[in-house]
Amino acid sequence: MTAEYKVQDDVAVITLNNPPVNGLGHSTRLGITNALEKANGDAAIKAIVLTGAGKAFSGGADIREFNSARATLEPTLGSVILALEHSPKPVVAAIHSVAMGGGLELALGCHYRIAAPGAKIALPEVKLGILPGAGGTVRLPRVLGVETALSMIGGGEAVNSEALAALPGQKLFDKLAASPEQLLSEAVAFAKEVAAKHADGSALPLVRNLPCTHPNGEAYFQFARNMVKGTVKHLPAPLKCLEAVENATRFSFEDALAKERSLFLGLMLTPESRALRHIFMAERAAAKIPDVGPEITPREVKTVAVIGAGTMGGGISMNFLNAGIPVTIVETKQEALDRGLATVRKNYEAQIKKGKLKQEVYEQRMALLTPTLNMDDIKDADLVIEAVFEEMGVKETVFKKLDAIAKPGAILASNTSTLDVDKIAAFTHRPQDVVGMHFFSPANVMRLLEVVRGAKTAKDVLATVMAIAKKIKKTAVVSGVCDGFIGNRMIEQYSRQAGFLLEEGATPQQVDKAIEKFGFAMGPFRMADLAGNDIGWAIRKRRSVEKPDIKYSKTADLLCELGRFGQKTGAGWYDYAPGKRDAIPSKLVEDMIEQHRKTLGITPRKIGEQEIVERLVYALVNEGARILQGGIASKASDIDVVYLTGYGFPFWRGGPMLCADQVGLFNVAATMKRFARNPHDDARFWEPAPLIQKLVAEGRTFNG
Ligand code: 3H9
């Protein structure tokens, strides 16, 4: 049972104990009702306190149970709450740390609530694409007022217990404890007090009996509806939250509760909710490496050195400065060092201008940064990150030097985005200390960090890098060594398809528009113009030597031969007005593509949006499946996290692998086979990956 039962004097204390956050799974729910029965059946007990062990009162419904039959096993959360309401002895919720979702709903079913200061209170279901499904939308407005409740339910953000306790007229908390440490003793004392008060048999207070009204309901909800429609695209839950709270003001408690239940069940089935729940679990799962458990002690990282003060080096440094970790940044020339520092300053100053950073904090951060031209200055660093030019010869020079200078046990990381980390490690006599830390540009903004595990990378090096990633607020995903790792290896197939689409008849703007409508922030051509077309050109040149049999469209090379590198040269796939970033369709590029089609003997055809989207997304899926099968990624959800946090994949679709699961792998494979029959495409690539074929045969999914 995951609820403990203890007695203090004449008060029964029921303590939820379902680590990590006392999720209200079936055994916890059953534990509560059993304990409640026990307390009510014991004549010596006068009152009951309900609280949580460890780091939460309760984080809500057990998310791990959501997709299983256990979620609906009796007692459901609704039944537990009814049992609390019907308890003849007063029940006091003693809330500390976290009371979220079903956890808060549980507390709202108690007769009284006492909170510790600093507790985070929320109904965050909307962030999972659902709404509170155990009375939250009908009870919270009754204790906090309609507007405050709607803002909490529709936004999902946590509010501090003190802030809520200070709201005039609030009925959420009957008392605020002096401190978290005193919560339990104050709750027990309070329970005794209310037991004495109700000893005469007077009715116990129930939230359901409070009124729920808004003086200008119709106008207010119309205004709120317009606001939500204007700000939230693609997600059905926010409007349903609003509907549920409005129902609470228009219908009886029971009717509004029934309507809430039906809205909740409807949202649970939406692909958007499935995607958001998947992301929640996937991000947490990414932090876990199958063979690197908690028994591995991370190394200590007190100081960091960054080699290279270019855009990447500067951005990488900022992450550590923001976390209060001193950084030594090394360059070979004074001008380069000055330029790098100036960029770091400019980035911080922009944050100050926007009011996001205080001047004194900026100064504290800059004081942690030591610029130097002398490589010897990094000898005491615990972690060294190389961010120099992406060329093996340059990496060789740097890593040989690092091997000679860095202290024993220092972690030597490379920010390479495509090169072989094992080769880089072999330039040193300590390959166990070498790891890839692939930051994404702009490195101070993008959440993704690909951690590249070399064949010899030590487990404690991995544990350290994962821990430091958390400290600098990055979402780290482990990748094995291969060309491009997880993200860039997949994006290469996506870009190749974009090129083939042009040859077959699409324009850059048609391709961009279709995939942007699907939800990517930027299509492949606008993105290439932003990143610089010369980068892909250099990679293709290298690959044409290493892998000459790979078929790809030559249009991007022709574009580069015209010097159209993108926004930085004022022209790329699109034209750009001086100083502007708006992509203007280019007649010159269209003529160039047309001419290229003629050379290839291709008669252009009209390509529909669906085909564009499927070719781009399924290219990611098929390569993703190969990556998974080859052990480069350890789970499909890691690939989704990479694409959601590093490549702008629409979050409400949950990443390419979940997207494929939702379409159905049988259908995805059938479409791939159809693409394989297109004479202008790459038939070999479109052979569904063996993993996909296996999953289809077994009736399984990537994330199943
Ligand atoms: C709901 O309640 C529906 C009801 O209205 C209706 C029902 C009928 N269940 O985030 P962290 C795990 S919907 C199970 O890294 P933090 C999490 O997976 C629910 N497990 O820590 C992780 O596991 P692991 C509404 C949960 O300190 C560990 O806890 N509630 C749950 O930064 C630590 O998580 C929410 O949406 C859960 N509910 O933050 C709350 N929650 O160690 C969502 C967390 O194995 N949760 N875990 O990787 C949160 O916002 C944060 O996790 C919390 C802790 C603030 C609680």
Side-chain angles (χ1 to χ4, degrees):
M1 233 27 102
T2 44
E4 289 163 5
Y5 184 87
K6 280 193 182 141
V7 175
Q8 281 192 29
D9 306 329
D10 52 2
V11 175
V13 178
I14 304 173
T15 307
L16 311 184
N17 193 358
N18 182 19
V21 295
N22 299 324
L24 298 163
H26 179 248
S27 60
T28 312
R29 301 194 301 266
L30 201 56
I32 299 170
T33 48
N34 285 345
L36 203 56
E37 261 179 45
K38 190 170 174 182
N40 278 317
D42 182 345
I45 297 295
K46 298 283 179 284
I48 300 152
V49 167
L50 180 66
T51 192
K55 63 178 193 174
F57 171 75
S58 169
D62 196 327
I63 297 174
R64 294 167 297 191
E65 209 177 62
F66 263 6
N67 296 330
S68 78
R70 295 180 72 77
T72 48
L73 277 185
E74 286 291 356
T76 60
L77 187 52
S79 308
V80 176
I81 292 169
L82 264 185
L84 289 168
E85 284 186 326
H86 288 153
S87 166
K89 297 176 184 174
V91 186
V92 177
I95 298 166
H96 64 90
S97 312
V98 165
M100 289 190 177
L104 180 55
E105 291 174 302
L106 187 74
L108 285 166
C110 296
H111 305 113
Y112 296 96
R113 286 157 296 279
I114 166 165
K120 286 195 231 160
I121 311 296
L123 286 178
E125 286 86 343
V126 72
K127 294 186 175 184
L128 300 173
I130 51 176
L131 51 70
T137 67
V138 286
R139 286 194 179 88
L140 199 66
R142 285 177 156 80
V143 293
L144 288 182
V146 169
E147 294 194 14
T148 306
L150 180 56
S151 120
M152 284 180 71
I153 294 166
E157 294 304 325
V159 185
N160 221 293
S161 49
E162 291 105 303
L164 290 171
L167 290 175
Q170 68 84 21
K171 296 187 176 68
L172 175 58
F173 300 131
D174 299 283
K175 202 168 181 289
L176 198 61
S179 70
E181 295 71 33
Q182 282 160 269
L183 174 70
L184 192 57
S185 58
E186 286 193 40
V188 169
F190 183 71
K192 286 181 186 177
E193 244 174 65
V194 293
K197 199 170 119 193
H198 292 285
D200 59 357
S202 58
L204 291 164
L206 293 180
V207 171
R208 64 163 67 222
N209 293 334
L210 297 171
C212 185
T213 54
H214 189 288
N216 303 307
E218 209 165 308
Y220 167 71
F221 283 109
Q222 191 50 45
F223 165 77
R225 193 168 284 112
N226 292 341
M227 290 278 286
V228 175
K229 278 187 186 157
T231 49
V232 184
K233 280 193 277 177
H234 312 294
L235 295 173
L239 271 177
K240 298 288 178 196
C241 287
L242 191 145
E243 188 180 329
V245 175
E246 188 174 14
N247 287 341
T249 65
R250 292 182 49 211
F251 297 98
S252 69
F253 179 88
E254 281 304 335
D255 286 352
L257 188 68
K259 285 178 192 298
E260 176 198 82
R261 185 76 194 153
S262 115
L263 289 172
F264 169 80
L265 292 175
L267 284 171
M268 279 293 268
L269 297 177
T270 59
E272 292 83 359
S273 169
R274 183 158 173 223
L276 294 177
R277 285 181 276 136
H278 169 70
I279 297 172
F280 180 87
M281 297 311 274
E283 288 194 348
R284 283 153 185 85
K288 297 188 177 85
I289 311 173
D291 62 337
V292 182
E295 72 284 0
I296 307 285
T297 312
R299 300 183 190 179
E300 205 173 24
V301 175
K302 284 193 176 151
T303 55
V304 172
V306 175
I307 317 292
T311 317
M312 275 322 270
I316 292 170
S317 303
M318 286 176 74
N319 290 305
F320 293 97
L321 302 177
N322 297 350
I325 302 170
V327 176
T328 302
I329 189 161
V330 191
E331 255 302 344
T332 47
K333 297 213 172 70
Q334 189 63 48
E335 308 89 84
L337 194 58
D338 292 345
R339 240 193 340 264
L341 253 63
T343 310
V344 171
R345 279 202 198 94
K346 205 176 89 193
N347 285 340
Y348 277 136
E349 279 158 12
Q351 289 180 18
I352 295 176
K353 265 197 201 127
K354 285 185 200 152
K356 289 184 178 165
L357 183 68
K358 287 203 176 104
Q359 181 72 27
E360 62 267 26
V361 178
Y362 161 54
E363 279 157 22
Q364 282 161 12
R365 289 184 186 172
M366 286 309 287
L368 292 171
L369 184 61
T370 310
T372 178
L373 295 174
N374 185 357
M375 192 86 156
D376 285 340
D377 291 346
I378 63 118
K379 66 180 185 332
D380 294 325
D382 301 309
L383 166 66
V384 184
I385 304 173
E386 159 280 306
V388 300
F389 190 66
E390 187 74 344
E391 206 266 307
M392 197 51 105
V394 184
K395 307 278 184 198
E396 178 173 359
T397 313
V398 170
F399 273 83
K400 282 187 168 159
K401 258 195 201 158
L402 288 180
D403 195 24
I405 294 171
K407 70 176 186 187
I411 295 175
L412 309 181
S414 170
N415 178 48
T416 180
S417 56
T418 47
L419 298 177
D420 186 337
V421 171
D422 289 330
K423 266 194 195 158
I424 295 176
F427 298 137
T428 72
H429 294 94
R430 37 174 136 173
Q432 73 282 359
D433 295 338
V434 178
V435 65
M437 285 179 80
H438 178 209
F439 288 85
F440 286 70
S441 186
N444 54 316
V445 178
M446 296 294 288
R447 269 172 62 209
L448 179 61
L449 174 69
E450 263 183 333
V451 174
V452 187
R453 176 179 195 167
K456 296 189 177 160
T457 306
K459 288 186 181 179
D460 65 343
V461 167
L462 280 171
T464 312
V465 171
M466 297 308 274
I468 201 93
K470 199 165 180 192
K471 217 172 201 172
I472 62 172
K473 299 199 169 78
K474 296 287 172 200
T475 305
V477 177
V478 176
S479 168
V481 175
C482 68
D483 193 352
F485 316 129
I486 298 173
N488 284 345
R489 176 168 150 186
M490 285 166 66
I491 208 76
E492 191 197 340
Q493 300 304 335
Y494 169 95
S495 307
R496 245 163 42 96
Q497 283 302 316
F500 293 148
L501 285 164
L502 295 189
E503 287 183 351
E504 288 171 46
T507 60
Q509 49 275 23
Q510 274 168 353
V511 174
D512 283 349
K513 197 174 141 222
I515 200 76
E516 285 164 16
K517 218 161 122 188
F518 173 80
F520 271 87
M522 237 186 240
F525 297 108
R526 284 214 296 142
M527 187 47 135
D529 273 0
L530 179 69
N533 291 304
D534 48 332
I535 296 175
W537 198 23
I539 295 174
R540 284 193 301 279
K541 280 182 191 160
R542 173 169 66 80
R543 289 217 172 102
S544 65
V545 177
E546 291 171 4
K547 299 173 190 164
D549 58 334
I550 289 191
K551 177 180 169 182
Y552 70 93
S553 162
K554 297 278 179 290
T555 44
D557 297 349
L558 296 173
L559 186 83
C560 289
E561 283 164 21
L562 294 173
R564 297 179 69 103
F565 292 163
Q567 289 188 14
K568 62 184 170 190
T569 55
W573 291 105
Y574 295 91
D575 292 332
Y576 296 90
K580 294 268 168 62
R581 287 168 178 269
D582 307 302
I584 306 163
S586 164
K587 175 83 178 62
L588 190 145
V589 169
E590 275 171 31
D591 290 347
M592 179 201 82
I593 298 169
E594 184 54 43
Q595 187 52 47
H596 181 55
R597 285 181 196 133
K598 282 192 182 133
T599 317
L600 296 173
I602 296 177
T603 310
R605 67 182 169 97
K606 197 169 175 326
I607 305 178
E609 285 191 346
Q610 186 176 347
E611 179 180 340
I612 294 175
V613 168
E614 285 178 343
R615 279 175 67 179
L616 296 180
V617 175
Y618 294 174
L620 296 175
V621 172
N622 214 15
E623 196 61 20
R626 292 185 176 120
I627 280 174
L628 198 53
Q629 190 164 17
I632 297 299
S634 65
K635 38 199 174 312
S637 62
D638 280 0
I639 296 175
D640 285 335
V641 173
V642 166
Y643 265 77
L644 291 162
T645 55
Y647 292 83
F649 199 95
F651 69 91
W652 68 95
R653 296 188 187 273
M657 308 312 268
L658 185 82
C659 211
D661 281 349
Q662 301 230 54
V663 172
L665 293 187
F666 174 85
N667 301 323
V668 171
T671 307
M672 287 178 179
K673 286 180 198 157
R674 190 156 43 80
F675 293 156
R677 292 196 289 272
N678 174 354
H680 303 301
D681 205 323
D682 181 347
R684 211 171 47 168
F685 172 77
W686 280 122
E687 175 74 17
L691 176 64
I692 296 183
Q693 299 188 31
K694 182 170 178 279
L695 292 173
V696 170
E698 292 170 0
R700 289 167 54 212
T701 58
F702 286 124
N703 290 287

